[in-house]
């Protein structure tokens, strides 16, 4: 049983920080993981039945009815269980509740196929965030 928890008080929850530090800073060697959007975003954390954090994402309003999704991360020991898809489903559901029409994200190029399977379409040129190639993607909700 997965517990879905939204943090809507515009602060970065410690569980989200821990997941992102583990995945992006320690595993992927990103240097500038945390930014000024932390206090402008809604944060989502998925927990297991025992209350352990497993995965996280954040979202904030973009332009033209879009919401931008980012910092989508699943701890290594929980990968392969469909949690990435669960995060996207929850982000999309929240976007609809807030009146949004689009979900958009900057996908790491190595994860592009996953996002395409979830209905996202590339909508721009490849770019680098730190040393990692990304592609902008969108989905009409």
């Amino acid at each position: 049983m997965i517990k879905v928890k939204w943090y809507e008080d515009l602060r970065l929850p410690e569980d989200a920080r821990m997941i992102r530090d583990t995945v992006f800073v320690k595993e992927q060697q990103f240097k500038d993981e945390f930014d000024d959007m932390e206090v402008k975003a809604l944060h989502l954390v998925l927990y297991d039945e025992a209350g352990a954090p497993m995965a996280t994402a954040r979202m904030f309003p973009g332009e033209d009815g879009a919401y931008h999704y980012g910092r989508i991360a699943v701890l290594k020991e929980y990968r392969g269980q469909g949690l990435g898809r669960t995060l996207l489903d929850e982000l999309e559901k929240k976007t609809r509740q807030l009146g949004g029409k689009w979900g958009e994200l900057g996908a790491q190029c190595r994860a592009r196929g996953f996002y395409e399977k979830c209905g996202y379409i590339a909508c721009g040129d490849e770019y680098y965030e730190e040393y990692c190639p990304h592609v902008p993607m969108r989905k009409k909700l």
Side-chain angles (χ1 to χ4, degrees):
M1 181 69 166
I2 296 171
K3 180 182 174 195
V4 175
K5 182 162 185 186
W6 281 97
Y7 293 84
E8 299 185 29
D9 55 355
L10 303 180
R11 66 175 177 86
L12 177 62
E14 280 306 309
D15 290 335
R17 178 180 293 279
M18 178 277 296
I19 293 167
R20 288 172 44 193
D21 184 63
T22 300
V23 172
F24 295 122
V25 177
K26 292 181 176 117
E27 287 180 23
Q28 298 183 17
Q29 305 298 307
F30 282 17
K31 303 279 186 249
D32 297 316
E33 170 56 19
F34 303 100
D35 60 23
D36 62 350
M37 292 308 296
E38 307 301 352
V39 297
K40 299 174 184 172
L42 303 178
H43 296 273
L44 169 63
V45 180
L46 302 181
Y47 295 90
D48 69 12
E49 60 279 347
M54 303 184 297
T56 191
R58 72 180 186 184
M59 66 181 279
F60 51 85
E63 297 179 10
D64 300 323
Y67 275 80
H68 185 80
Y69 309 150
R71 304 310 203 258
I72 299 169
V74 179
L75 290 172
K76 186 180 273 185
E77 60 267 32
Y78 296 104
R79 292 180 192 152
Q81 301 178 29
L83 296 178
R85 181 61 198 222
T86 300
L87 285 168
L88 284 176
D89 289 346
E90 292 297 327
L91 291 164
E92 292 168 7
K93 183 166 46 168
K94 179 65 81 176
T95 297
R96 286 185 202 96
Q97 288 171 355
L98 295 170
K101 306 293 183 215
W102 294 89
E104 61 183 21
L105 51 88
Q108 290 185 11
C109 287
R110 64 187 178 142
R112 179 177 178 161
F114 164 74
Y115 291 109
E116 288 174 339
K117 287 179 190 171
C118 295
Y120 289 79
I121 298 169
C123 60
D125 295 329
E126 191 174 299
Y127 64 94
Y128 279 80
E129 191 167 313
E130 295 204 32
Y131 65 89
C132 185
H134 287 67
V135 62
M137 302 186 83
R138 290 189 109 193
K139 179 180 179 180
K140 178 105 172 117
L141 302 177

